[in-house]
Amino acid sequence: MMIQNVAVIGAGTMGNGIGHVFAQHGHGVVLVDSDPVALGHGLETIGRNFDRQIKKEKATEEDKSAALDRIVSSTDLDSVHGVDLVVEAIIEDEEIKTDVFRTLDAIVKPDAILASNTSSISITQLAAATSRPDQVIGMHFMNPVPVMKLVEIIRGLETSAATHDTVTALAQSLGKIPVTVEDYPGFVSNRVLMPMINEAIFCVMEGVAEPEAIDTVMKLGMGHPMGPLTLADFIGLDVCLAILDVLHDGLGDPKYRACPLLKRMVAAGQLGRKTGRGFFEYGGTE
Ligand code: NAD
């Protein structure tokens, strides 16, 4: 199947990046967010990120205006009815995502593919809310989407080979490198990453070292480009907690239990970069 027009649901951190990349590669994009303010911010961010690419000579002014012309925005899910593919990138909440999949299934054409950018929620479960489980798949982009090469492609229990092959080829056509994984909690990316971040937070809680020192050990000692606590702040501590809870519930192993300090910070609203404070301080909210 040829994918031409796509819809991206959610214009937040991930959704605006996904919309950016599709539009940059010639696809018509319907960008939907239920919150008009978030939708406005998402569109502004796309413009700003294009300016960044122009400065680095990775795009031109013409690329920017052509891509922006390919994006239409809406607060109404019904506006996605004509697309070939939907990528859902809303809040990481199983109930809300399931609801959106059920609604999308009734709106889009019968051969359209429904993809989720979820970090950890079961693709098989989202698929079960639709009448087309063979056409539901995970398309897990990394943050920041215009920069990061990986797309983790998650095959639900009933995802068809045709859906998998279409989405894999599509990711390649966006200049990304797809890696296929099966649908188990946290897939590969977060199953490996989150226990490391959680352990770094335990080190802070137990006073093993200061956050700065922990990040320095992992950067200089292990060759990581970014320390785990800086990365946790970047992802959002609420998102990290939600993913750890999915790993803990889904795999039933106490090794995935979220560090109590992480829970306390989330309860206090110290969510990382987006609130200006997490393990490190950031000038103003983003
Ligand atoms: P975000 O909070 O920045 O954006 C979510 C957006 O969805 C918000 O603008 C919100 O208004 C909108 N929204 C919520 N409910 C909606 C609905 N019912 N209909 C339409 N819009 C709705 O979140 P994010 O960080 O972009 O994460 C989105 C998804 O991507 C999550 O599933 C997350 O797990 C996943 N993800 C996040 C990252 C990351 O680093 N932030 C990385 C990979 C995957």
Side-chain angles (χ1 to χ4, degrees):
M1 182 191 177
M2 271 292 290
I3 304 287
Q4 185 46 42
N5 293 316
V6 305
V8 181
I9 317 297
T13 309
M14 297 303 290
N16 72 59
I18 297 167
H20 175 137
V21 169
F22 273 114
Q24 191 168 21
H25 287 82
H27 296 274
V29 175
V30 185
L31 185 62
V32 178
D33 200 296
S34 48
D35 175 356
V37 176
L39 193 55
H41 282 157
L43 290 167
E44 278 165 31
T45 304
I46 294 174
R48 255 200 325 274
N49 286 338
F50 262 109
D51 291 339
R52 225 173 258 168
Q53 288 182 321
I54 292 166
K55 231 185 228 163
K56 290 185 186 159
E57 297 184 355
K58 293 197 162 151
T60 62
E61 284 290 349
E62 293 72 45
D63 296 334
K64 175 183 172 184
S65 66
L68 293 180
D69 282 349
R70 289 187 200 107
I71 302 176
V72 294
S73 64
S74 172
T75 53
D76 182 6
L77 261 193
D78 280 335
S79 59
V80 312
H81 61 89
V83 303
D84 307 309
L85 166 81
V86 180
V87 182
E88 168 277 313
I90 67 166
I91 183 174
E92 188 77 347
D93 179 298
E94 197 174 303
E95 222 170 282
I96 300 175
K97 279 198 198 287
T98 304
D99 226 42
V100 165
F101 268 73
R102 193 175 298 117
T103 309
L104 285 170
D105 185 41
I107 295 172
V108 296
K109 48 190 193 184
D111 61 346
I113 293 175
L114 299 178
S116 177
N117 186 56
T118 178
S119 306
S120 59
I121 291 168
S122 164
I123 298 302
T124 307
Q125 207 159 312
L126 295 177
T130 74
S131 63
R132 60 183 89 201
D134 55 319
Q135 289 158 234
V136 176
I137 195 162
M139 206 175 180
H140 185 202
F141 290 85
M142 303 291 133
N143 184 14
V145 182
V147 176
M148 299 290 279
K149 285 280 179 206
L150 177 68
V151 181
E152 204 177 22
I153 307 282
I154 302 113
R155 241 189 321 223
L157 196 59
E158 297 193 25
T159 305
S160 69
T163 299
H164 170 263
D165 294 350
T166 298
V167 168
T168 300
L170 177 68
Q172 280 163 340
S173 75
L174 299 175
K176 302 296 184 194
I177 297 176
V179 173
T180 299
V181 309
E182 302 303 330
D183 184 24
Y184 285 94
F187 319 130
V188 169
S189 50
N190 282 310
R191 183 156 174 182
V192 175
L193 173 66
M194 284 302 156
M196 181 188 70
I197 286 177
N198 203 35
E199 202 57 38
I201 302 172
F202 271 109
C203 287
V204 177
M205 189 178 80
E206 293 168 11
V208 178
E210 291 296 320
E212 189 79 54
I214 294 166
D215 274 10
T216 301
V217 167
M218 297 307 288
K219 278 192 295 186
L220 302 187
M222 314 302 156
H224 291 196
M226 193 186 264
L229 298 168
T230 302
L231 182 55
D233 276 356
F234 186 66
I235 294 169
L237 300 192
D238 52 338
V239 176
C240 293
L241 178 58
I243 298 170
L244 280 161
D245 285 345
V246 167
L247 288 172
H248 194 207
D249 290 350
L251 296 163
D253 189 323
K255 76 179 175 186
Y256 298 110
R257 79 196 188 286
C259 176
L261 175 60
L262 174 62
K263 290 185 182 171
R264 286 213 306 162
M265 291 176 75
V266 171
Q270 295 176 16
L271 305 183
R273 262 178 185 272
K274 60 186 164 191
T275 58
R277 186 166 176 207
F279 290 99
F280 303 99
E281 304 262 346
Y282 304 89
T285 56
E286 298 190 4

